[in-house]
């Protein structure tokens, strides 16, 4: 006999997975918005959300390329370009920044809204489902577990000593061993 145990294929549990998204909206003059920026080690993401109905108005996803300030600038430029003629006719009421590059990006954005990833993940997950109690996040350079108790992130653990299981490691393995580009 063999000494390995095997789990059932993940596709057997596909019906248990539910993807949550925000509805997209159309920008209108006078919209009051929040701008969210996630400056990760591998990728930087930004989103513009209308405060009155939580609709995503614009978003951008790009590589950080080792330069969080330049990646932040590129996100801001892209969002501005997407807004077109309405760029000067909306109000950005606040900017929130998270991710591994949040401190420098927060300075660049001149915002006090610098939020650590544990709080950002918990807030986002709880927005969609108040019963969330466990969060796993695979980042570019680390992986995190967060335990949420009664809506409050109460404990967490982070793997940053070893690259196994991180996004950049998984991306590299997919490219090198399976020829799958991300």
């Amino acid at each position: 006999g063999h000494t390995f145990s095997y789990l059932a294929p993940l596709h057997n549990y596909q019906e248990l997975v539910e993807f949550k998204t925000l509805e997209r909206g159309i920008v209108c003059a006078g919209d009051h918005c929040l701008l969210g920026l996630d400056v990760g080690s591998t990728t930087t993401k930004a989103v513009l959300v209308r405060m009155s109905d939580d609709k995503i108005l614009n978003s951008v996803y790009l590589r950080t390329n080792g330069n969080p300030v330049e990646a932040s600038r590129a996100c801001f430029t892209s969002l501005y370009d997407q807004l077109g003629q309405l760029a000067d006719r909306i109000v950005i009421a606040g900017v929130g920044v998270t991710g591994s590059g949040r401190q420098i990006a927060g300075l660049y954005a001149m915002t006090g809204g610098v939020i650590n990833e544990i709080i950002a993940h918990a807030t986002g997950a709880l927005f969609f489902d108040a019963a969330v109690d466990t969060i796993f996040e695979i980042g570019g350079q680390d992986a995190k577990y967060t335990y949420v108790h009664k809506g409050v992130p109460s404990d967490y653990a982070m793997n940053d000593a070893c690259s196994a299981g991180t996004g950049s490691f998984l991306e590299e393995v997919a490219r090198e061993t399976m020829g799958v580009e991300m």
Side-chain angles (χ1 to χ4, degrees):
H2 56 75
T3 58
F4 293 105
S5 61
Y6 295 89
L7 300 173
L10 285 176
H11 64 78
N12 289 1
Y13 303 96
Q14 201 163 356
E15 76 281 353
L16 298 176
V17 177
E18 185 180 344
F19 288 94
K20 305 281 189 169
T21 61
L22 288 177
E23 194 176 324
R24 291 195 81 93
I26 296 173
V27 181
C28 300
D31 280 345
H32 282 67
C33 304
L34 295 174
L35 193 155
L37 182 69
D38 178 358
V39 184
S41 59
T42 307
T43 60
T44 297
K45 294 73 65 181
V47 65
L48 188 66
V49 177
R50 184 168 39 226
M51 294 171 68
S52 63
D53 60 6
D54 294 326
K55 288 191 177 176
I56 295 174
L57 302 179
N58 288 319
S59 63
V60 61
Y61 185 99
L62 48 80
R63 291 261 177 205
T64 305
N65 290 326
N67 191 334
V69 170
E70 187 55 41
S72 300
R73 288 182 64 185
C75 282
F76 296 147
T77 299
S78 176
L79 290 176
Y80 185 84
D81 291 345
Q82 289 177 52
L83 289 166
Q85 295 177 337
L86 291 172
D88 297 325
R89 300 183 65 199
I90 65 163
V91 176
I92 296 180
V95 177
V97 182
T98 194
S100 60
R102 67 187 176 275
Q103 297 294 347
I104 191 163
L107 285 171
Y108 176 74
M110 295 186 292
T111 182
V114 177
I115 300 149
N116 73 52
E117 294 163 275
I118 302 301
I119 299 301
H121 295 151
T123 302
L126 291 164
F127 174 86
F128 289 106
D129 186 346
V132 166
D133 64 0
T134 304
I135 300 168
F136 290 105
E137 188 263 344
I138 299 175
Q141 304 297 321
D142 62 29
K144 295 180 209 57
Y145 154 78
T146 303
Y147 171 65
V148 180
H149 181 69
K150 297 181 181 178
V152 177
S154 301
D155 194 15
Y156 76 94
M158 180 168 69
N159 167 28
D160 59 1
C162 168
S163 69
T166 65
S168 60
F169 174 78
L170 295 173
E171 183 177 357
E172 186 75 18
V173 168
R175 183 175 57 249
E176 294 296 322
T177 63
M178 295 183 272
V180 175
E181 293 290 335
M182 300 298 288

